[in-house]
Amino acid sequence: MLTREFTDRSEVRSIDAFPGIVRSNPVGLFAVDREGRLRNVNDRAAEMFGFDNSPAAEGRPLSQLEFFFSQAIIDRIIGLANGGEPFRIHCFPGTNLIGHFAYYCLSCNAAYQDAPAPLGVFGVIEDVTEQMKQQQELKNRIDELSMLSQISQVVSSALDTEEVLKVILTGVTARQGLGFNRAFLFLLDDDGTTLSGRLAVGPTNSDEAGKIWSSLEHDNRSLFEILSLYQEEAEKSNRNLTDLIRDVRIDTTNGSMFARAMHTKAPLVIDGTMDIDYATDRVLAHMGERRVAMTPLVSRDRVIGLLVVDNAITREAITDHDTRFLKLIADQTAAAVERSSLYRDLKDRAAELEESNRKLAETQNQ
């Protein structure tokens, strides 16, 4: 990067006007005199700072860029012009004169012109917002895959249905996982045509959200740590949210959007702008949010329920990536629910068999 090459040099020999090739350089270049005024600014730097053009920037004091450069950065630049050390700041946030926010990388070195003391500072500035976004997206993907792996470990060994569902919904709503605000689980009744509210995880309002999320604010917490903290901080909220849907019944034969997701076995997003049917609208109104994503729980090509999520607190949009990852979670949920159900049936049958053997033994002893 040009900024690295710039700070690796011990000094810059001139603070006079930039040559034409520098003026049009795609990297921002600027010079500052010992009084902290911009002496020379190329086109790219002027654009970053929010000036109309290079001449409009020249002669302006750095103090006019107080929302772009923090006061600490301004002090370092002026200090360098008066004998301080060269420096490089890898990433800092800044807002320019016209309100544009971005992340920047800055390198500064002293400028000399046949004098023992510096006459000012040369600076190189680059917009690194896209790199920051890419790094954050990569981190998010790693966090999601890690959470998915941890969920797999838990549900592959857990046999209690309620515990399995709580683990999965916590992973769906944890910031280190998918990060949805709320998650609702509906399971298909024995009649095969009605979804019933089973469990929900998440805050019921912004105050609860702030309290819960602040207690979980730690990048490196494992799912097990999150579960432990969540049970302490969010038990009341989850109970209230579960009570909200406990009596909800959704007919899967009436052509609603919930029914469509069940029949197509594919994720569906309701973004709040589309026309929706009366049955769907009633359920969403009861849940208190009309922008949701849902995906069916499918195990061995059989639909057994529906997972519904929203961002009712933060109002963030739900992306295609979110729904694809949500489907992976839903598939694991379906398999875990079926396994738990099978275990429960086997346990009940074993208990019945034991009771029958006990009664038979009593009869034989009479």
Side-chain angles (χ1 to χ4, degrees):
M1 294 174 64
L2 181 56
T3 49
R4 184 179 300 279
E5 295 172 0
F6 182 75
T7 46
D8 285 345
R9 298 166 61 188
S10 60
E11 62 181 45
V12 181
R13 298 306 306 176
S14 176
I15 196 172
D16 291 334
F18 295 146
I21 190 171
V22 175
R23 284 281 184 194
S24 59
N25 196 293
V27 174
L29 303 173
F30 64 95
V32 177
D33 63 23
R34 296 179 66 180
E35 285 70 45
R37 291 184 175 275
L38 293 168
R39 283 282 301 275
N40 291 291
V41 180
N42 77 342
D43 296 337
R44 180 62 178 132
E47 179 186 357
M48 290 184 193
F49 294 154
F51 293 106
D52 291 335
N53 48 52
S54 296
E58 293 172 2
R60 301 293 187 94
L62 285 179
S63 58
Q64 287 191 2
L65 300 175
E66 60 180 336
F67 295 109
F68 189 95
F69 293 128
S70 67
Q71 188 59 51
I73 294 177
I74 292 175
D75 290 344
R76 290 186 71 178
I77 294 174
I78 296 175
L80 174 57
N82 290 275
E85 294 294 323
F87 64 89
R88 182 169 190 260
I89 301 175
H90 292 272
C91 181
F92 68 92
T95 302
N96 69 11
L97 294 174
I98 59 175
H100 176 70
F101 176 87
Y103 287 94
Y104 301 94
C105 177
L106 172 68
S107 291
C108 290
N109 210 326
Y112 293 81
Q113 190 171 2
D114 301 323
L119 298 179
V121 170
F122 268 118
V124 179
I125 188 163
E126 295 180 80
D127 187 331
V128 294
T129 305
E130 283 304 313
Q131 294 94 310
M132 287 291 296
K133 287 181 179 178
Q134 291 171 7
Q135 290 177 12
Q136 186 60 48
E137 288 175 2
L138 177 60
K139 181 182 181 302
N140 290 343
R141 300 296 87 81
I142 292 173
D143 287 345
E144 289 171 352
L145 291 173
S146 175
M147 182 62 67
L148 183 61
S149 175
Q150 292 180 66
I151 289 175
S152 298
Q153 293 177 31
V154 173
V155 301
S156 64
S157 58
L159 295 173
D160 179 78
T161 302
E162 290 296 322
E163 190 63 28
V164 167
L165 297 180
K166 188 179 296 185
V167 167
I168 290 172
L169 294 191
T170 299
V172 167
T173 54
R175 186 180 61 80
Q176 295 89 335
L178 291 188
F180 291 109
N181 293 176
R182 307 188 303 174
F184 306 84
L185 189 70
F186 298 87
L187 294 181
L188 202 60
D189 288 348
D190 293 337
D191 64 9
T193 62
T194 305
L195 285 168
S196 297
R198 178 65 177 271
L199 184 67
V201 168
T204 56
N205 55 57
S206 57
D207 290 338
E208 285 184 358
K211 181 180 179 182
I212 295 168
W213 294 342
S214 63
S215 69
L216 301 177
E217 187 68 24
H218 193 294
D219 287 339
N220 298 318
R221 292 197 195 280
S222 68
L223 176 62
F224 309 101
E225 292 173 321
I226 293 171
L227 278 171
S228 177
L229 287 170
Y230 220 99
Q231 288 174 352
E232 296 174 8
E233 296 291 342
E235 183 176 354
K236 182 178 179 181
S237 296
N238 294 343
R239 187 165 59 248
N240 292 340
L241 210 57
T242 298
D243 289 343
L244 181 68
I245 65 163
R246 184 76 74 180
D247 297 327
V248 172
R249 299 292 181 269
I250 302 174
D251 185 352
T252 62
T253 65
N254 63 1
S256 70
M257 289 189 168
F258 295 102
R260 186 192 308 175
M262 296 286 286
H263 293 156
T264 61
K265 300 178 183 178
L268 187 152
V269 176
I270 302 175
D271 63 9
T273 62
M274 60 182 66
D275 293 331
I276 58 177
D277 57 275
Y278 176 71
T280 300
D281 186 64
R282 282 188 61 191
V283 175
L284 296 183
H286 186 75
M287 293 168 58
E289 177 57 40
R290 284 182 165 81
R291 297 192 305 172
V292 303
M294 62 186 77
T295 188
L297 276 57
V298 183
S299 178
R300 292 180 295 182
D301 204 40
R302 187 171 69 90
V303 181
I304 64 171
L306 193 68
L307 179 59
V308 182
V309 298
D310 67 34
N311 287 324
I313 308 298
T314 62
R315 315 305 300 166
E316 292 181 15
I318 297 174
T319 66
D320 290 340
H321 171 81
D322 293 334
T323 56
R324 287 195 297 270
F325 210 91
L326 187 65
K327 188 178 185 307
L328 294 177
I329 298 290
D331 290 343
Q332 289 205 22
T333 304
V337 169
E338 283 228 314
R339 186 170 57 251
S340 298
S341 178
L342 177 61
Y343 172 76
R344 186 175 61 253
D345 290 344
L346 290 174
K347 189 176 180 180
D348 291 343
R349 291 181 183 180
E352 291 174 2
L353 181 59
E354 184 178 352
E355 179 64 15
S356 297
N357 288 336
R358 185 186 65 78
K359 290 181 178 179
L360 179 61
E362 289 178 353
T363 301
Q364 291 175 343
N365 291 332
Q366 289 179 354

Short mmCIF file of all heavy atoms in Angstrom, two decimals, residues 83-106:
data_model
loop_
_atom_site.label_atom_id
_atom_site.label_comp_id
_atom_site.label_asym_id
_atom_site.label_seq_id
_atom_site.Cartn_x
_atom_site.Cartn_y
_atom_site.Cartn_z
N GLY A 83 8.43 18.72 14.75
CA GLY A 83 9.51 17.88 15.24
C GLY A 83 9.10 16.54 15.81
O GLY A 83 9.94 15.82 16.35
N GLY A 84 7.83 16.17 15.70
CA GLY A 84 7.37 14.90 16.23
C GLY A 84 7.75 13.72 15.35
O GLY A 84 8.45 13.87 14.34
N GLU A 85 7.26 12.53 15.71
CA GLU A 85 7.61 11.30 15.00
C GLU A 85 6.58 10.99 13.91
O GLU A 85 5.38 11.24 14.09
CB GLU A 85 7.66 10.13 15.99
CG GLU A 85 8.78 10.22 17.01
CD GLU A 85 10.15 10.11 16.34
OE1 GLU A 85 10.27 9.33 15.37
OE2 GLU A 85 11.08 10.80 16.79
N PRO A 86 7.04 10.41 12.78
CA PRO A 86 6.10 9.94 11.76
C PRO A 86 5.16 8.89 12.35
O PRO A 86 5.52 8.18 13.31
CB PRO A 86 7.02 9.32 10.69
CG PRO A 86 8.35 9.96 10.92
CD PRO A 86 8.44 10.19 12.40
N PHE A 87 3.99 8.76 11.79
CA PHE A 87 3.04 7.79 12.35
C PHE A 87 2.12 7.26 11.26
O PHE A 87 1.99 7.85 10.18
CB PHE A 87 2.22 8.41 13.48
CG PHE A 87 1.31 9.53 13.05
CD1 PHE A 87 0.01 9.29 12.62
CD2 PHE A 87 1.76 10.85 13.09
CE1 PHE A 87 -0.82 10.32 12.23
CE2 PHE A 87 0.92 11.90 12.71
CZ PHE A 87 -0.37 11.63 12.28
N ARG A 88 1.49 6.15 11.57
CA ARG A 88 0.51 5.53 10.68
C ARG A 88 -0.65 5.03 11.52
O ARG A 88 -0.44 4.36 12.53
CB ARG A 88 1.13 4.38 9.90
CG ARG A 88 0.16 3.71 8.91
CD ARG A 88 0.92 2.75 7.99
NE ARG A 88 0.09 2.28 6.91
CZ ARG A 88 -0.52 1.10 6.88
NH1 ARG A 88 -0.38 0.26 7.89
NH2 ARG A 88 -1.25 0.75 5.84
N ILE A 89 -1.86 5.36 11.12
CA ILE A 89 -3.07 4.87 11.78
C ILE A 89 -3.76 3.94 10.80
O ILE A 89 -4.20 4.35 9.72
CB ILE A 89 -4.00 6.03 12.18
CG1 ILE A 89 -3.27 7.00 13.11
CG2 ILE A 89 -5.27 5.50 12.83
CD1 ILE A 89 -4.08 8.24 13.46
N HIS A 90 -3.86 2.68 11.16
CA HIS A 90 -4.35 1.66 10.23
C HIS A 90 -5.82 1.84 9.89
O HIS A 90 -6.23 1.60 8.75
CB HIS A 90 -4.12 0.26 10.81
CG HIS A 90 -2.67 -0.11 10.90
ND1 HIS A 90 -1.99 -0.71 9.87
CD2 HIS A 90 -1.77 0.06 11.90
CE1 HIS A 90 -0.74 -0.90 10.22
NE2 HIS A 90 -0.57 -0.45 11.45
N CYS A 91 -6.62 2.24 10.85
CA CYS A 91 -8.05 2.38 10.56
C CYS A 91 -8.69 3.30 11.59
O CYS A 91 -8.54 3.09 12.79
CB CYS A 91 -8.73 1.00 10.58
SG CYS A 91 -10.49 1.07 10.19
N PHE A 92 -9.39 4.31 11.10
CA PHE A 92 -10.14 5.18 12.00
C PHE A 92 -11.41 5.65 11.29
O PHE A 92 -11.43 5.78 10.06
CB PHE A 92 -9.29 6.37 12.46
CG PHE A 92 -8.99 7.37 11.37
CD1 PHE A 92 -9.81 8.46 11.14
CD2 PHE A 92 -7.87 7.20 10.55
CE1 PHE A 92 -9.53 9.38 10.14
CE2 PHE A 92 -7.58 8.11 9.55
CZ PHE A 92 -8.41 9.20 9.34
N PRO A 93 -12.48 5.90 12.04
CA PRO A 93 -13.73 6.38 11.43
C PRO A 93 -13.71 7.89 11.28
O PRO A 93 -13.14 8.60 12.11
CB PRO A 93 -14.80 5.94 12.44
CG PRO A 93 -14.09 5.98 13.76
CD PRO A 93 -12.65 5.60 13.48
N GLY A 94 -14.31 8.38 10.22
CA GLY A 94 -14.38 9.82 10.03
C GLY A 94 -15.60 10.23 9.23
O GLY A 94 -16.09 9.48 8.39
N THR A 95 -16.11 11.43 9.52
CA THR A 95 -17.24 11.99 8.79
C THR A 95 -16.79 13.30 8.15
O THR A 95 -16.29 14.19 8.84
CB THR A 95 -18.43 12.27 9.73
OG1 THR A 95 -18.81 11.05 10.37
CG2 THR A 95 -19.61 12.84 8.95
N ASN A 96 -16.95 13.41 6.82
CA ASN A 96 -16.42 14.60 6.15
C ASN A 96 -17.40 15.79 6.24
O ASN A 96 -18.45 15.70 6.89
CB ASN A 96 -16.02 14.29 4.71
CG ASN A 96 -17.21 14.00 3.81
OD1 ASN A 96 -18.37 14.23 4.17
ND2 ASN A 96 -16.94 13.50 2.61
N LEU A 97 -17.05 16.86 5.55
CA LEU A 97 -17.81 18.11 5.67
C LEU A 97 -19.23 18.02 5.13
O LEU A 97 -20.09 18.83 5.48
CB LEU A 97 -17.06 19.24 4.95
CG LEU A 97 -15.71 19.64 5.56
CD1 LEU A 97 -15.00 20.65 4.67
CD2 LEU A 97 -15.89 20.20 6.96
N ILE A 98 -19.49 17.04 4.26
CA ILE A 98 -20.84 16.90 3.72
C ILE A 98 -21.58 15.71 4.34
O ILE A 98 -22.61 15.27 3.85
CB ILE A 98 -20.82 16.76 2.18
CG1 ILE A 98 -19.98 15.55 1.75
CG2 ILE A 98 -20.29 18.03 1.54
CD1 ILE A 98 -20.03 15.30 0.23
N GLY A 99 -21.02 15.19 5.45
CA GLY A 99 -21.72 14.16 6.22
C GLY A 99 -21.48 12.73 5.80
O GLY A 99 -22.14 11.82 6.31
N HIS A 100 -20.53 12.48 4.90
CA HIS A 100 -20.24 11.11 4.48
C HIS A 100 -19.34 10.43 5.50
O HIS A 100 -18.28 10.94 5.86
CB HIS A 100 -19.56 11.11 3.11
CG HIS A 100 -19.14 9.74 2.65
ND1 HIS A 100 -20.04 8.77 2.28
CD2 HIS A 100 -17.91 9.19 2.53
CE1 HIS A 100 -19.39 7.67 1.95
NE2 HIS A 100 -18.09 7.90 2.08
N PHE A 101 -19.76 9.25 5.96
CA PHE A 101 -19.00 8.49 6.96
C PHE A 101 -18.25 7.35 6.27
O PHE A 101 -18.79 6.67 5.40
CB PHE A 101 -19.94 7.92 8.02
CG PHE A 101 -19.25 7.04 9.03
CD1 PHE A 101 -18.66 7.59 10.16
CD2 PHE A 101 -19.17 5.67 8.84
CE1 PHE A 101 -18.02 6.79 11.09
CE2 PHE A 101 -18.53 4.85 9.76
CZ PHE A 101 -17.96 5.42 10.89
N ALA A 102 -17.01 7.14 6.68
CA ALA A 102 -16.22 6.04 6.13
C ALA A 102 -15.08 5.71 7.10
O ALA A 102 -14.88 6.39 8.11
CB ALA A 102 -15.66 6.41 4.76
N TYR A 103 -14.34 4.64 6.76
CA TYR A 103 -13.15 4.28 7.52
C TYR A 103 -11.92 4.58 6.67
O TYR A 103 -11.92 4.35 5.45
CB TYR A 103 -13.18 2.79 7.88
CG TYR A 103 -14.18 2.46 8.96
CD1 TYR A 103 -15.47 2.04 8.63
CD2 TYR A 103 -13.85 2.58 10.31
CE1 TYR A 103 -16.40 1.74 9.62
CE2 TYR A 103 -14.77 2.29 11.30
CZ TYR A 103 -16.05 1.87 10.95
OH TYR A 103 -16.96 1.59 11.93
N TYR A 104 -10.87 5.09 7.33
CA TYR A 104 -9.69 5.56 6.60
C TYR A 104 -8.41 5.01 7.22
O TYR A 104 -8.36 4.67 8.41
CB TYR A 104 -9.63 7.09 6.60
CG TYR A 104 -10.84 7.74 5.98
CD1 TYR A 104 -11.91 8.16 6.77
CD2 TYR A 104 -10.92 7.94 4.60
CE1 TYR A 104 -13.03 8.75 6.21
CE2 TYR A 104 -12.03 8.53 4.03
CZ TYR A 104 -13.09 8.93 4.84
OH TYR A 104 -14.19 9.51 4.27
N CYS A 105 -7.37 4.98 6.38
CA CYS A 105 -6.01 4.67 6.82
C CYS A 105 -5.16 5.91 6.54
O CYS A 105 -5.25 6.49 5.45
CB CYS A 105 -5.48 3.46 6.05
SG CYS A 105 -3.77 3.03 6.46
N LEU A 106 -4.36 6.32 7.51
CA LEU A 106 -3.60 7.57 7.39
C LEU A 106 -2.13 7.33 7.71
O LEU A 106 -1.80 6.67 8.70
CB LEU A 106 -4.17 8.62 8.36
CG LEU A 106 -3.39 9.92 8.51
CD1 LEU A 106 -3.46 10.74 7.22
CD2 LEU A 106 -3.92 10.73 9.70
#
